[in-house]
Amino acid sequence: MKKVTILDIAKELNITFSTVARALNDHPAISKSTKEAVKKTAEKLGYSKNKIASSLRSGKSNIIGVLVPSLDVSFFSSVVHGIESVMNQHGYSILLYQSQESYKKEDKGIETLLNSRVDGIITSFAIDREDSSSFEEIISKNIPLTFFDRALYQLNAPSVTIDDYKGGYMATEHLIQSGYKKIVHITETRNLSIFKERLKGYLDALKTYNIPLNEDLILKGNLSLNFGKECVKDLTDRRIDFDAIFTLEDFTAMGVIQQLKSQHIRIPEEVGVIGFANEAFGSLVTPSLSTIDQQTHLMGQETAQLFLTMLKEGSFYKMAPKRMKLDPLLIVRDSSRGPQL
């Protein structure tokens, strides 16, 4: 089937090629009646605008690159949904790329998105990233860059994050108020600010409630379901006394629950458990998992709005970047109802 071109529309209306082109691009020199006639004929003939050619002419693609660690995690897919819902309303499409938590794949993703002539990039960087050079390159090209969840604060770029300190504090405080006193915190060896802030919240909550810090109850590693299992086994093998576990994210908490159950340790009667992120499976497991919700859809919407504001302002990096922190929400389920049950 022959592709409909601007020339076909011009022949149909008996007007010039340039008049049709300008009408489709909403040029002010073209009358309203001509624009309406051109758009109506284009729709009737099934004309599809060549976005690549148009972007080469205008320098604008109306496509935003979104670079995320993984869409297998519902946190990131929910944020992307929020971003897309706002961008679509403003006439933008999104081009997705997953780094799979690898800075090398992330660098390749940045190169791919830039070669695709995106109008800007929204990202949450890979967990193993140790420098910011690839993102500095985006800024040096004066291409809009906005971070969500994980932000490189040393760069002059806006960001939308959750208040991770508050989330860590809330999770620990909830366990204390539920009657638990010997609370384990499973955290990361990798040095991301979001992990450090959640640990700080945990430590400060213990101080507030006059609970002495036991260094044996802070376990560090690379977060995963298997690491959650290993932590429980390690604690019980070393005969460390504990009655609750706060994990840095929900997949590790899921491993904790599985291992506790395999060792016939009752949840929440003997050990309470709380995660972080409110992954979709949390409400479906037994016992259902208490967690901290990061308002993912709202995070995506606010990130998109911040990005659009950046586009509107034009001079992307001349002013201090806007940085937004969302409040975390405590989601109480069966896994942390208290030892008294």
Side-chain angles (χ1 to χ4, degrees):
M1 185 172 154
K2 182 175 174 286
K3 184 176 175 65
V4 177
T5 67
I6 289 176
L7 191 58
D8 296 318
I9 301 169
K11 284 179 180 177
E12 180 81 8
L13 292 172
N14 197 26
I15 58 178
T16 65
F17 176 94
S18 61
T19 299
V20 174
R22 285 187 291 174
L24 288 170
N25 286 303
D26 205 26
H27 195 284
I30 306 300
S31 69
K32 186 180 177 183
S33 60
T34 300
K35 287 177 185 176
E36 287 175 355
V38 167
K39 287 173 183 175
K40 190 174 180 181
T41 304
E43 190 176 339
K44 182 182 80 172
L45 295 176
Y47 170 75
S48 177
K49 194 171 183 180
N50 187 328
K51 287 190 174 181
I52 295 173
S54 178
S55 71
L56 289 171
R57 288 194 299 271
S58 67
K60 193 166 183 283
S61 67
N62 276 37
I63 298 172
I64 306 301
V66 179
L67 179 58
V68 298
S70 174
L71 290 173
D72 292 337
V73 180
S74 64
F75 169 84
F76 291 112
S77 56
S78 180
V79 175
V80 168
H81 188 267
I83 292 169
E84 192 170 28
S85 68
V86 172
M87 285 304 183
N88 287 349
Q89 287 172 19
H90 289 82
Y92 288 91
S93 300
I94 67 169
L95 184 59
L96 269 173
Y97 197 102
Q98 298 180 72
S99 71
Q100 303 297 347
E101 296 287 17
S102 161
Y103 79 89
K104 289 182 180 177
K105 289 183 180 178
E106 187 168 77
D107 287 346
K108 180 65 177 172
I110 291 169
E111 182 185 349
T112 300
L113 293 173
L114 293 178
N115 288 340
S116 301
R117 297 180 178 271
V118 294
D119 289 341
I121 294 176
I122 294 173
T123 186
S124 183
F125 65 87
I127 201 169
D128 68 348
R129 178 160 291 283
E130 293 182 353
D131 68 79
S132 58
S133 55
S134 296
F135 295 109
E136 287 167 8
E137 184 183 349
I138 297 169
I139 293 171
S140 72
K141 293 177 186 291
N142 203 38
I143 294 168
L145 171 68
T146 304
F147 290 100
F148 71 88
D149 185 45
R150 304 172 189 172
L152 293 169
Y153 293 112
Q154 68 269 33
L155 300 182
N156 190 33
S159 61
V160 179
T161 58
I162 201 76
D163 189 332
D164 287 287
Y165 169 81
K166 188 174 182 180
Y169 190 98
M170 286 169 65
T172 310
E173 181 179 57
H174 162 67
L175 291 172
I176 294 167
Q177 291 181 343
S178 296
Y180 303 104
K181 303 295 180 192
K182 299 161 189 171
I183 301 167
V184 174
H185 181 45
I186 299 176
T187 186
E188 257 281 356
T189 52
R190 290 168 285 198
N191 201 29
L192 266 65
S193 64
I194 60 173
F195 304 149
K196 291 191 289 187
E197 288 298 302
R198 291 174 201 177
L199 173 59
K200 189 166 180 269
Y202 161 82
L203 295 172
D204 283 357
L206 294 181
K207 280 183 194 172
T208 300
Y209 288 88
N210 297 313
I211 296 175
L213 172 63
N214 180 351
E215 294 285 354
D216 286 336
L217 299 183
I218 298 177
L219 305 178
K220 295 183 179 182
N222 293 342
L223 300 179
S224 66
L225 187 141
N226 282 334
F227 184 60
K229 292 180 179 180
E230 289 166 11
C231 285
V232 173
K233 192 169 185 309
D234 175 64
L235 288 164
T236 53
D237 284 350
R238 290 192 291 138
R239 299 185 182 279
I240 302 294
D241 194 14
F242 67 98
D243 62 6
I245 299 177
F246 161 38
T247 71
L248 202 60
E249 50 80 63
D250 285 350
F251 283 96
T252 305
M254 185 65 194
V256 164
I257 286 175
Q258 288 180 356
Q259 187 63 31
L260 288 170
K261 288 168 77 173
S262 76
Q263 293 182 212
H264 307 291
I265 297 170
R266 294 174 302 149
I267 312 164
E269 295 89 343
E270 293 177 86
V271 175
V273 181
I274 189 167
F276 205 109
N278 198 18
E279 292 288 339
F281 61 78
S283 62
L284 305 175
V285 299
T286 303
S288 55
L289 176 64
S290 295
T291 189
I292 299 294
D293 184 86
Q294 294 175 271
Q295 302 209 65
T296 50
H297 191 74
L298 177 62
M299 183 180 286
Q301 291 177 317
E302 293 291 355
T303 303
Q305 292 289 0
L306 197 58
F307 185 88
L308 290 167
T309 300
M310 196 181 187
L311 282 180
K312 205 174 291 182
E313 288 171 351
S315 53
F316 308 130
Y317 302 108
K318 289 185 180 176
M319 295 180 289
K322 293 172 183 170
R323 286 173 177 156
M324 181 180 295
K325 269 192 182 179
L326 302 177
D327 281 330
L329 305 174
L330 175 65
I331 308 294
V332 178
R333 298 193 182 110
D334 293 339
S335 67
S336 63
R337 296 286 184 186
Q340 70 277 8
L341 296 180

